[in-house]
């Protein structure tokens, strides 16, 4: 039936666009994490955007989040940011099927937002903190442009008799490009985690090597009975 065939075609096209958008977002975040691992792990886009949101969140909302989620409040915030990014990535991916440049520009705009958030942080060390977001956005925009071009039919051509040949998109070509993009992004993300872990180990080693000097006037011993024998009470400090 023509109607059913047309609906399936539209659904297939939307699915390709959504996948292209999600892979582009994955690429952007993975490359950003790689650069952050080399520059400064705290400058990763999800980290800086999450910090900027916390800084601008009203105190009652913060208190509600702490009461509701406890120690997992930051994890919930990061998951929320990733969920919003995924929805926007799907929209940009579908848009890029018809307007590749507009979709790529949309990805670049999010890189600018991440860079601005990084530079606005109180612990920002300078322009280098913007590099992860900008570099990741450039990689994501390029990935979306390439994947979108693979997900749409090629321009129609004419044969020797002058009959037009309707364009067909290459499923194999799109899946190959999608697989290569996913593999490259996963590798970049893994390297980013590795470099960030090495920097964290260096900081831990520096802390462990720190030795506090002996006090010139030690405090006297605690008097007997200062630690109450009450169940579940915290130790006296």
């Amino acid at each position: 039936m023509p109607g059913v065939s047309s609906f399936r075609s539209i659904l297939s096209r939307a699915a390709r666009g959504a996948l292209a958008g999600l892979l582009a977002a994955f690429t952007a975040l993975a490359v950003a994490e790689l650069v952050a691992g080399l520059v400064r792990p705290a400058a990763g886009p999800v980290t800086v955007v999450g910090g900027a949101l916390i800084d601008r969140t009203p105190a009652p909302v913060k208190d509600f989040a702490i009461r509701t989620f406890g120690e997992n409040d930051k994890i919930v915030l990061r998951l929320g940011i990733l969920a919003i990014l995924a929805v926007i990535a799907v929209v940009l991916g579908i848009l890029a099927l018809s307007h590749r440049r507009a979709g790529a520009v949309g990805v670049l705009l999010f890189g600018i937002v991440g860079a601005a958030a990084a530079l606005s942080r109180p612990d920002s060390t300078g322009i280098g903190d913007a590099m992860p977001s900008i570099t990741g956005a450039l990689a994501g925009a390029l990935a979306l442009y390439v994947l979108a071009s693979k997900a749409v039919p090629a321009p129609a051509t004419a044969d020797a008799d002058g009959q037009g040949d309707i364009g067909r998109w290459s499923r194999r070509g799109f899946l190959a490009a999608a697989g290569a993009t996913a593999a490259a992004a996963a590798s970049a993300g893994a390297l980013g985690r590795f470099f960030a872990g090495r920097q964290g180990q260096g900081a831990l080693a520096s802390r462990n090597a720190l030795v506090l000097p002996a006090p010139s006037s030690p405090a006297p011993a605690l008097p007997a009975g200062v630690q109450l024998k009450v169940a579940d009470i915290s130790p006296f400090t």
Side-chain angles (χ1 to χ4, degrees):
M1 296 175 62
V4 175
S5 177
S6 177
F7 175 76
R8 287 180 177 175
S9 177
I10 294 173
L11 189 61
S12 174
R13 178 183 174 90
R16 298 195 300 271
L19 179 58
L22 290 173
L23 285 174
F26 179 40
T27 300
L29 291 176
V31 172
E33 289 297 325
L34 172 59
V35 177
L38 295 171
V39 177
R40 195 168 75 93
V46 176
T47 300
V48 296
V49 171
L53 288 176
I54 292 175
D55 291 344
R56 292 161 177 78
T57 300
V61 178
K62 292 181 183 178
D63 295 339
F64 170 77
I66 294 174
R67 288 195 307 268
T68 305
F69 303 111
E71 297 179 354
N72 298 319
D73 56 341
K74 291 186 178 180
I75 296 177
V76 173
L77 175 62
R78 290 193 175 195
L79 290 176
I81 293 174
L82 293 176
I84 293 174
L85 286 177
V87 173
I88 296 174
V90 169
V91 174
L92 289 177
I94 296 175
L95 172 66
L97 296 182
S98 302
H99 308 282
R100 288 199 289 274
R101 292 183 180 178
V105 169
V107 177
L108 292 176
L109 289 178
F110 277 92
I112 294 175
V113 171
L119 296 177
S120 70
R121 302 297 300 139
D123 61 343
S124 174
T125 59
I127 193 66
D129 285 354
M131 289 180 58
S133 295
I134 295 298
T135 307
L138 289 172
L142 177 61
L144 180 58
Y145 192 91
V146 172
L147 290 172
S149 66
K150 297 287 186 181
V152 295
T157 58
D159 55 21
D161 298 330
Q163 298 295 324
D165 179 23
I166 60 172
R168 293 181 178 276
W169 72 283
S170 172
R171 180 178 180 180
R172 180 176 298 178
F174 174 72
L175 292 179
T181 301
S187 299
L191 280 175
R193 291 290 181 181
F194 171 75
F195 290 127
R198 290 191 61 180
Q199 290 200 30
Q201 290 176 359
L204 181 60
S206 298
R207 274 200 307 270
N208 293 335
L210 179 64
V211 178
L212 295 177
S216 57
S217 56
L222 296 176
V226 70
Q227 178 62 49
L228 302 177
K229 297 180 180 180
V230 178
D232 299 328
I233 192 173
S234 58
F236 179 84
T237 302

